[in-house]
Amino acid sequence: MTAISSTNTNLGTSTGAEPRGAKPKKAFSRRNIIIYGTLVVAAVYYILPLYVMIVTSLKGMPEIRLGNIFAPPVQITFEPWVKAWSQACTGLNCDGLSRGFWNSVIITVPSVIISIAVASLNGYMLANWRFKGADLFFTILIVGAFIPYQVMLYPMVIILRDLGVYGTLQGLIIVHTVFGMPILTLLFRNYFTALPEELFKAARVDGAGFWNIYFRIMLPISLPIFVVAMIIQITGIWNDFLFGVVFTKPDTYPMTVQLNNIVNSVQGVKEYNVNMAATLITGLVPLIVYFVSGKLFVRGIAAGAVKG
Amino acid sequence: MNTSVSVKDLTLKFGAITVLDKLNLDIGDGEFLVLLGSSGCGKSTLLNCIAGLLEPTDGQIFIKNKNVTWEEPKDRGIGMVFQSYALYPQMTVEKNLSFGLRIAGMAKDEIDRRVARAAEILQIGPLLQRKPAALSGGQRQRVAIGRALVRDVDVFLFDEPLSNLDAKLRSELRVEIKRLHQNLKNTMIYVTHDQIEALTLADRIAIMRGGVIQQLDDPMTIYNEPKNLYVAGFIGSPAMNFFKGEITTAEGRPAFVTNGVTFMLDGYKAKGLLQPGTKAVLGLRPEHITVDGPEAGNTHQAVVEIEEPMGADNLIWLKHAGQSMSVRIGGSRRYRPGTQLRLSYDMGVASLFDAESELRI
Ligand SMILES: Nc1ncnc2c1ncn2[C@@H]1O[C@H](COP(=O)(O)OP(=O)(O)OP(=O)(O)O)[C@@H](O)[C@H]1O
Ligand SMILES: [Mg+2]
């Protein structure tokens, strides 16, 4: 009697005769195979070049000449990284990427801070302090966001020359700040507009003025959008090549331009390992920004998602 | 009566749209005034103008006999409570309450004293260190009221403070707001589109429609003697029954006839002359119609169509004089559909409107 009933139960669970609870899912269904297959292919496609770069940058030149680019290094050497940082030659000088790195830092930090500060204030004004002509201003800004940069290069050169900052780091900082303005303002304005209007009204009734509302109400609840703006600006400005080439001189070249000159210099043998190391070093900053801010970003969104 | 808030010829336009048109309103000291109206009639707009959050196109606003038309919200001596609570999400309850005081640079111990007092009145003491996200809807609204309370203002403005809450909480907080008003005796202006809230809370109700105040009276007058057809239809739930017809005379006395059915108007308190031949609308509230009462002059027969028992009350729908009408009777009296019953009316509480001007006759 007991035996029979227990086999019955076993049968019942193994065939799922009576559906109950979560529906069992097959691990190797056709759907899963397609999904994971596609994901793996895509991942390999993106990771393989990075792998090749890292591996090559850790090899000596003799090993590279063997020709097997996928093979891991037999003898790991950091020589290429050191050389890329401090000795690699452009057509003009031989002090590596370090000069370009510091130039890029000096360009990026103020550009990011100034452009975000100004753009967030613009967005705040457009969203909450509807001044006369706000709509016109906003339209012009949107149009500005869609004008191709190339069109504005020459006029910008003339303006910078007349201001006496052409070819200097300050000049490039001004350019980055100005060109980041339309899209950032749009970003901030839309974010602030989406915040409940009554929050702003409550703060006004509480006696907070323009700056108090901005710093004590708007800013603290808008951290996610500030992080987004920072990601956009840091990576955009760090990776910029066009403005760097146009608006600076060899002394003030940002890292990307320096990298280009190292990789494309035509003296002697092509040192692939040095080139790869130089490229990786240049890409390191945006990479770190993505990793660090990615975490911040997720936390920011989660905090903002809870309705207050 | 001392006026506390006075609105003079207030006009507000958004571009080509006129939301408020030459609106006049005087609110007495310590009065609880409710602005009632359907969605989009300009209640919030009026409140925002009084608060100084919207610039009027024309007109003036006085608070405590001082022209505040150009004053900043903070200088008007008002506190405001919003529908969506509008608590600052990054601040604790305590910081939310004290924000305005800190901005004003008030001394620390005075701030603490006021926050403690507000917390005691609203019973939110244990919540002071929490963030708004960790509060229930009712608690959030209490904090929002507290934020107005700490500012020690003369005038409280409420913009549909309870409409985000569920029915039970709403009736609880409604009582609390009434208690608050009785204790503080501040002037309160309260916007709602819930007529129960309006009738229970208000000293006077202003019924708005399309930016114009239709009637400004105490709740009982609004309920019993609506000035026009709109107010009559707006107040009361279930709504007043309307019959379109004509004033005549029957047996030498004024009467109202619709679809061949005659209602004697004995006892109706007419404001003007009941001119026979006038096209008119007769309004009878469902709760003012008697079913199977004593045989009197003014009785009709009708057949029950649908019955809606609601516990304390029983709502009966009938077909009468060619149209559908409802009657409210006690919950214990049941009438099955198809039952024949006798209706009688008390014309002393009926309403009669001119069909053309829609004004009370
Ligand atoms: N910024 C604006 N621009 C143009 N029209 C507006 C603006 N704000 C409000 N309105 C219009 O003014 C009218 C009155 O709006 P208001 O917010 O005062 O209505 P309300 O009576 O408070 O309605 P509700 O009960 O839905 O809150 C509406 O028709 C609305 O469309
Ligand atoms: Mg409103």
Side-chain angles (χ1 to χ4, degrees):
Chain A
M1 191 63 206
T2 357
I4 292 168
S5 74
S6 81
T7 38
N8 264 351
T9 336
N10 281 345
L11 265 179
T13 41
S14 63
T15 58
E18 209 176 311
R20 176 172 185 161
K23 191 177 175 183
K25 292 180 186 70
K26 269 191 286 177
F28 286 96
S29 65
R30 181 195 300 215
R31 184 167 147 251
N32 277 359
I33 291 172
I34 292 176
I35 289 177
Y36 287 104
T38 314
L39 286 177
V40 167
V41 169
V44 169
Y45 183 80
Y46 278 99
I47 287 194
L48 212 57
L50 183 64
Y51 167 78
V52 170
M53 299 226 352
I54 293 173
V55 169
T56 310
S57 73
L58 295 175
K59 290 176 184 171
M61 274 317 280
E63 216 180 312
I64 291 174
R65 287 199 197 90
L66 295 178
N68 192 348
I69 61 167
F70 293 111
V74 180
Q75 208 170 9
I76 293 180
T77 165
F78 290 100
E79 193 63 26
W81 287 72
V82 175
K83 193 166 178 200
W85 176 253
S86 54
Q87 294 146 32
C89 292
T90 65
L92 292 167
N93 45 36
C94 283
D95 50 6
L97 278 173
S98 51
R99 178 205 299 263
F101 175 82
W102 289 115
N103 282 341
S104 276
V105 170
I106 293 169
I107 293 163
T108 305
V109 171
S111 304
V112 169
I113 293 174
I114 297 172
S115 63
I116 290 182
V118 176
S120 64
L121 275 173
N122 279 348
Y124 166 59
M125 277 188 273
L126 282 169
N128 292 314
W129 297 89
R130 315 277 310 154
F131 51 92
K132 235 194 191 115
D135 288 325
L136 180 70
F137 181 79
F138 187 57
T139 314
I140 293 174
L141 214 59
I142 290 183
V143 172
F146 291 107
I147 295 178
Y149 290 164
Q150 290 81 341
V151 175
M152 294 190 265
L153 281 183
Y154 188 56
M156 204 70 200
V157 169
I158 294 174
I159 292 171
L160 289 188
R161 192 192 58 202
D162 290 354
L163 289 176
V165 286
Y166 177 67
T168 64
L169 291 175
Q170 293 94 298
L172 191 54
I173 291 170
I174 293 175
V175 171
H176 279 306
T177 307
V178 168
F179 279 87
M181 208 47 58
I183 196 73
L184 284 186
T185 303
L186 194 66
L187 193 76
F188 279 107
R189 180 214 170 249
N190 288 351
Y191 190 87
F192 289 139
T193 313
L195 293 176
E197 200 195 352
E198 294 192 336
L199 215 52
F200 173 76
K201 288 184 175 173
R204 280 196 66 196
V205 172
D206 266 343
F210 184 91
W211 294 107
N212 263 325
I213 297 180
Y214 176 74
F215 281 112
R216 297 167 82 156
I217 308 290
M218 292 304 185
L219 215 142
I221 58 177
S222 307
L223 289 183
I225 203 66
F226 276 89
V227 174
V228 171
M230 264 168 62
I231 296 175
I232 294 178
Q233 284 302 83
I234 293 178
T235 55
I237 294 172
W238 190 272
N239 288 336
D240 161 71
F241 183 79
L242 179 65
F243 293 154
V245 169
V246 175
F247 295 106
T248 52
K249 297 184 174 128
D251 261 358
T252 51
Y253 275 159
M255 204 173 185
T256 45
V257 179
Q258 198 95 351
L259 171 70
N260 173 69
N261 293 351
I262 289 174
V263 173
N264 286 339
S265 75
V266 284
Q267 305 163 328
V269 247
K270 270 226 180 296
E271 294 178 294
Y272 291 108
N273 49 359
V274 174
N275 290 351
M276 302 259 176
T279 311
L280 284 173
I281 293 173
T282 311
L284 225 47
V285 167
L287 213 61
I288 292 172
V289 168
Y290 278 128
F291 276 122
V292 173
S293 60
K295 240 185 207 145
L296 267 178
F297 193 34
V298 169
R299 216 183 304 150
I301 284 178
V306 186
K307 264 210 311 186
Chain B
M1 184 173 74
N2 274 329
T3 56
S4 168
V5 178
S6 175
V7 176
K8 291 204 164 61
D9 290 330
L10 188 71
T11 300
L12 188 125
K13 297 180 183 166
F14 287 117
I17 318 161
T18 306
V19 177
L20 300 175
D21 196 12
K22 286 207 175 297
L23 189 140
N24 285 287
L25 184 62
D26 286 314
I27 300 155
D29 215 1
E31 184 174 8
F32 200 122
L33 183 102
V34 171
L35 295 170
L36 180 64
S38 55
S39 197
C41 69
K43 308 181 295 287
S44 299
T45 308
L46 174 57
L47 208 63
N48 280 321
C49 284
I50 295 174
L53 295 167
L54 271 178
E55 289 217 318
T57 314
D58 195 19
Q60 296 174 312
I61 292 160
F62 294 82
I63 295 178
K64 294 266 166 207
N65 297 317
K66 183 172 152 223
N67 188 339
V68 295
T69 314
W70 290 346
E71 301 273 348
E72 277 293 300
K74 68 173 160 63
D75 302 324
R76 294 186 177 208
I78 51 130
M80 193 157 174
V81 179
F82 298 89
Q83 177 177 0
S84 67
Y85 324 127
L87 300 180
Y88 312 123
Q90 77 280 13
M91 300 182 197
T92 60
V93 168
E94 184 182 4
K95 291 271 186 298
N96 260 285
L97 292 177
S98 61
F99 180 69
L101 308 180
R102 282 182 284 135
I103 293 254
M106 189 179 279
K108 179 89 175 55
D109 47 343
E110 173 67 7
I111 293 179
D112 289 345
R113 203 184 56 73
R114 290 201 187 185
V115 168
R117 175 172 161 266
E120 195 201 311
I121 293 177
L122 296 164
Q123 299 172 352
I124 49 175
L127 311 175
L128 283 179
Q129 296 313 320
R130 289 207 210 158
K131 293 265 176 77
L135 300 179
S136 74
Q139 292 168 334
R140 283 180 204 178
Q141 200 51 279
R142 261 177 249 247
V143 176
I145 295 171
R147 201 165 50 181
L149 213 56
V150 291
R151 302 191 58 236
D152 229 354
V153 290
D154 304 316
V155 182
F156 275 71
L157 307 175
F158 294 90
D159 193 354
E160 306 198 26
L162 306 184
S163 60
N164 273 1
L165 306 175
D166 63 59
K168 186 163 177 294
L169 213 49
R170 204 180 309 166
S171 52
E172 276 174 29
L173 267 169
R174 197 172 69 210
V175 175
E176 253 178 67
I177 289 178
K178 186 150 193 167
R179 187 174 297 137
L180 195 68
H181 179 241
Q182 278 176 4
N183 293 340
L184 299 178
K185 301 189 171 58
N186 293 37
T187 307
M188 294 193 175
I189 308 179
Y190 187 105
V191 165
T192 181
H193 54 236
D194 182 321
Q195 47 171 302
I196 304 294
E197 264 171 42
L199 292 167
T200 52
L201 288 173
D203 292 326
R204 282 193 305 164
I205 300 177
I207 297 201
M208 288 183 69
R209 180 198 194 186
V212 178
I213 294 180
Q214 302 284 312
Q215 184 167 5
L216 174 61
D217 266 315
D218 64 283
M220 281 337 279
T221 310
I222 295 237
Y223 175 79
N224 287 321
E225 292 165 42
K227 261 190 188 156
N228 60 33
L229 210 51
Y230 178 79
V231 175
F234 192 82
I235 286 283
S237 165
M240 193 184 262
N241 299 296
F242 291 118
F243 298 91
K244 279 201 179 74
E246 204 179 295
I247 296 174
T248 56
T249 36
E251 302 159 25
R253 304 194 315 256
F256 174 86
V257 64
T258 173
N259 270 333
V261 179
T262 307
F263 294 82
M264 299 309 295
L265 291 178
D266 301 334
Y268 180 71
K269 297 187 213 89
K271 284 185 11 180
L273 205 60
L274 293 174
Q275 186 72 42
T278 314
K279 295 257 179 291
V281 177
L282 175 68
L284 297 167
R285 292 206 182 275
E287 51 272 35
H288 290 159
I289 299 171
T290 316
V291 170
D292 287 344
E295 192 83 42
N298 219 351
T299 57
H300 298 142
Q301 298 289 323
V303 175
V304 177
E305 271 196 324
I306 292 172
E307 169 186 48
E308 284 186 291
M310 296 188 289
D313 295 328
N314 193 359
L315 193 65
I316 293 176
W317 291 88
L318 323 141
K319 200 84 170 182
H320 186 46
Q323 71 173 75
S324 185
M325 71 177 283
S326 59
V327 176
R328 181 143 82 180
I329 56 174
S332 57
R333 299 172 63 195
R334 305 294 299 266
Y335 288 88
R336 300 279 160 222
T339 319
Q340 178 103 23
L341 43 70
R342 191 176 62 244
L343 306 174
S344 44
Y345 319 96
D346 177 7
M347 283 299 159
V349 288
S351 296
L352 200 59
F353 304 98
D354 188 300
E356 226 159 87
S357 66
E358 303 197 341
L359 294 175
R360 187 180 186 86
I361 303 180

